[in-house]
Amino acid sequence: MAPKKLAYAVIAVLSAAALLLTGCTSGGQKVAADPRAPVTLTWWTGQAGEPQAVLQKLAKDFSRLHPNVTIRLSSGAPTTTELLQKLTAAFATTNYPDLSYTYGSWTGQLAASGRTLDFTDQVKDPSVDWTEFSSTARHACSPGGKVIGFPSLVDDLALVYNKKLFDDNHIPYPTANWTWDDFRAAAKKITNPATQTWGTAFHVSGGEDTTWRLWPQLWQLGGKIAEPNGKAAFNSPAGVAALDFWRAMAVDDKSVFIDQTDQKAEPLFASGKMGLFITGPWSLYTFVQAKTPYGVQILPGYNGDHQTVSGPDVWTAFDHQDPNRAYWTFQLLKWLSSPQIDPRWTMATGNLPLRKSERGSAEYKQFVKDFPGVDVMVDNLANDKQARPTDDWYVPLSRAVGEAIGQVLQGTVGTKEALNAAARKSDASLAKN
C-alpha cells in the first residue's frame, strides 16, 4: 500500500472540492471551507484493543499527510452499544464528535436529531466511487435518502462449526444445502451436559445483537420486519415460526447456551465447548488465535432460501456549523474508505473488505490465508438480499423484539404472546413520534 501517493493524488483537487462544502456563519451567510486552515476533529471509534490501535495509526498517518488537521481519537464510550446513548446526550451540548462509529440500525434516529452532516452531493464525485459499496451499506448510510456518513464495516452472519466436535459425534460437516432441521439435529447431538458442551448459542441481552439474529429466518420464511410506515409485521406466522424454532431448541432440547451478556458465547466456542455458532467475520480472529478447529458455511435455510443479514456499520458525520470541520470530516472518511486504505482497517482487523475491487488485492489474498473460511463470508454477501430499516422507528422496534426473544428463549413467556406484546410496544412507540 502507498497511502502517501494516494494523498498526493487527492490533494490536487482539494481546493476545488472545498467549494462543494459550505457552512453558515452566525449571520446565516454561506461560507466556503478553507482547506489550509487549522482544524481539530473529534473521532469516536467505538473500538478497543487491536482495532483501536489500527485506527490510531491511521489517524496519525492522515494528520502526517495533512499537518493542519489534528485528530482527537477515543473510543467514545465503554462499549459500542453505549455510543448511541452517549451521542444522544451530547446533542444537548456542543460536545458531540465530528464523526463516530455507529450501528447502521441507528442512522435513522441520528439523522432525525438534526445534528448530522449531509454528504449526498459530495458522494456523487466519481473519485468517491460510491456505487462500489454494497447496496446494503449505502442504505445504512442514507436514512431518508440523505447520506450522513460512510460505511465503516460490512459483515454478515454465517455458520461456524467445530470440526472436532462434529468428528467426535460422527456428524458430517454442514453443507451449503443444510436446512434448519439439520442444524437442530446436530446441535442436539453435540450437546453434552456432563462435559458442559453446547450445541449452539443465542445472544439474549435484548439489544440489536439479539434482534438481528432472528431476521434471516424471518425473511427465509417469507416474513418482514415492518410495514413501510413502521407498523410492526414481525409477529406474523413467519416470525412466530422463526422464534419458535429457537424456543424449541432452547427450552425443549436444551441445546442452546443462553448468552445474557453477548460476551460469553464466542470464547465458549473458541475453547471447544460449542459445536455451532452463528456469527460473523469479527469472531475469526479469536478462533485463529485460540487455534480452534473451525469451518465456515453459509446459514441453513428453508426451501433452498439461505438469506443472511448484513450488519453494515457507519462512520456517521456530525455538523458543528463549521465548514472547515465538515470539509475535513468528508476528506478523512473518503480517504479511510478508499481501496488503498480500507484494507489497513477492515481486513487487518478481520472484517470484510468494503469494496469489491479489494478482493483482487494482495491484502485480500493474505486476508483469506490469515482467516480461513472468511472467503465464504465474503461470498455470503450474495445472500444479503434485504436491508434492515434505517428509519428512526427501528431502534425501539428492535429493542422490543430483542426483549421478547430473551423472554421466549428463557422460557418465561410463549412465542406468539411475546411477539404480539413486542408489536404493540413498538407500534405505541411509533405513535408517539
Side-chain angles (χ1 to χ4, degrees):
M1 287 170 287
K4 287 190 177 182
K5 290 181 181 178
L6 173 67
Y8 294 150
V10 170
I11 203 166
V13 296
L14 290 188
S15 296
L19 298 176
L20 296 175
L21 279 166
T22 59
C24 292
T25 65
S26 58
Q29 296 176 322
K30 293 286 186 178
V31 294
D34 178 0
R36 290 170 291 276
V39 165
T40 297
L41 300 180
T42 299
W43 183 359
W44 289 359
T45 65
Q47 307 298 316
E50 181 62 22
Q52 179 75 345
V54 170
L55 291 174
Q56 285 174 335
K57 186 176 188 309
L58 286 168
K60 289 179 180 178
D61 287 349
F62 188 81
S63 292
R64 192 177 300 117
L65 295 169
H66 307 289
N68 62 311
V69 181
T70 300
I71 299 176
R72 295 188 304 186
L73 184 143
S74 70
S75 61
T79 66
T80 305
T81 303
E82 293 175 78
L83 275 175
L84 180 60
Q85 183 178 359
K86 182 86 175 285
L87 285 165
T88 303
F91 290 155
T93 69
T94 59
N95 296 325
Y96 53 92
D98 294 275
L99 63 154
S100 177
Y101 186 93
T102 66
Y103 290 145
S105 57
W106 298 346
T107 56
Q109 184 170 333
L110 293 172
S113 72
R115 297 290 192 177
T116 54
L117 286 169
D118 184 352
F119 292 152
T120 307
D121 290 335
Q122 289 92 299
V123 299
K124 295 175 183 176
D125 184 337
S127 66
V128 176
D129 205 357
W130 184 249
T131 57
E132 194 186 9
F133 297 124
S134 71
S135 60
T136 304
R138 298 197 308 272
H139 178 80
C141 295
S142 311
K146 183 177 80 171
V147 178
I148 65 171
F150 275 65
S152 54
L153 292 178
V154 176
D155 53 36
D156 57 55
L157 289 179
L159 176 62
V160 183
Y161 57 95
N162 185 297
K163 293 181 179 180
K164 183 177 185 302
L165 289 177
F166 269 71
D167 291 342
D168 290 348
N169 287 278
H170 308 289
I171 305 171
Y173 295 159
T175 71
N177 296 317
W178 247 33
T179 66
W180 286 102
D181 286 341
D182 294 327
F183 176 90
R184 181 180 178 182
K188 187 174 182 179
K189 190 169 184 180
I190 289 170
T191 299
N192 187 338
T195 60
Q196 294 187 317
T197 303
W198 297 88
T200 188
F202 207 104
H203 293 188
V204 296
S205 67
E208 179 65 12
D209 201 23
T210 299
T211 304
W212 79 315
R213 295 170 186 274
L214 187 68
W215 297 152
Q217 283 169 277
L218 173 75
W219 290 333
Q220 290 175 12
L221 288 165
K224 54 186 176 180
I225 296 172
E227 302 297 343
N229 62 358
K231 185 175 175 59
F234 55 77
N235 58 328
S236 64
V240 172
L243 182 52
D244 204 48
F245 170 86
W246 284 97
R247 185 214 60 78
M249 289 188 65
V251 179
D252 300 340
D253 299 350
K254 297 183 174 15
S255 62
V256 181
F257 175 78
I258 303 299
D259 189 349
Q260 296 179 328
T261 67
D262 297 349
Q263 303 295 320
K264 296 179 180 179
E266 184 178 285
L268 194 65
F269 181 89
S271 67
K273 291 296 185 178
M274 186 189 302
L276 295 152
F277 188 32
I278 294 175
T279 188
W282 61 87
S283 291
L284 298 189
Y285 178 86
T286 299
F287 303 155
V288 169
Q289 294 298 306
K291 295 182 170 55
T292 309
Y294 73 88
V296 180
Q297 189 51 267
I298 64 173
L299 292 182
Y302 294 106
N303 300 316
D305 187 336
H306 295 269
Q307 284 187 73
T308 186
V309 59
S310 179
D313 295 331
V314 178
W315 295 121
T316 301
F318 297 99
D319 188 6
H320 290 270
Q321 297 297 303
D322 184 328
N324 296 334
R325 290 170 73 172
Y327 171 82
W328 281 109
T329 298
F330 177 79
Q331 295 301 332
L332 173 59
L333 293 178
K334 178 183 175 183
W335 176 82
L336 186 65
S337 63
S338 68
Q340 295 86 352
I341 303 302
D342 177 60
R344 297 176 56 191
W345 157 236
T346 54
M347 288 188 269
T349 53
N351 291 288
L352 306 186
L354 290 179
R355 298 177 180 271
K356 292 181 180 179
S357 59
E358 296 173 41
R359 299 180 193 179
S361 66
E363 290 90 351
Y364 182 74
K365 293 177 182 177
Q366 186 63 45
F367 179 52
V368 173
K369 182 178 179 181
D370 292 342
F371 300 100
V374 76
D375 53 330
V376 176
M377 294 181 173
V378 172
D379 292 342
N380 192 37
L381 289 171
N383 291 312
D384 171 30
K385 298 178 180 178
Q386 300 191 56
R388 287 176 290 172
T390 56
D391 306 87
D392 56 353
W393 48 256
Y394 180 73
V395 173
L397 180 150
S398 171
R399 191 178 303 117
V401 174
E403 291 171 356
I405 292 171
Q407 293 168 351
V408 170
L409 267 58
Q410 293 174 88
T412 62
V413 66
T415 304
K416 188 172 183 179
E417 178 187 354
L419 287 180
N420 283 341
R424 289 193 297 271
K425 188 181 297 185
S426 61
D427 287 346
S429 178
L430 176 67
K432 292 178 182 178
N433 295 331

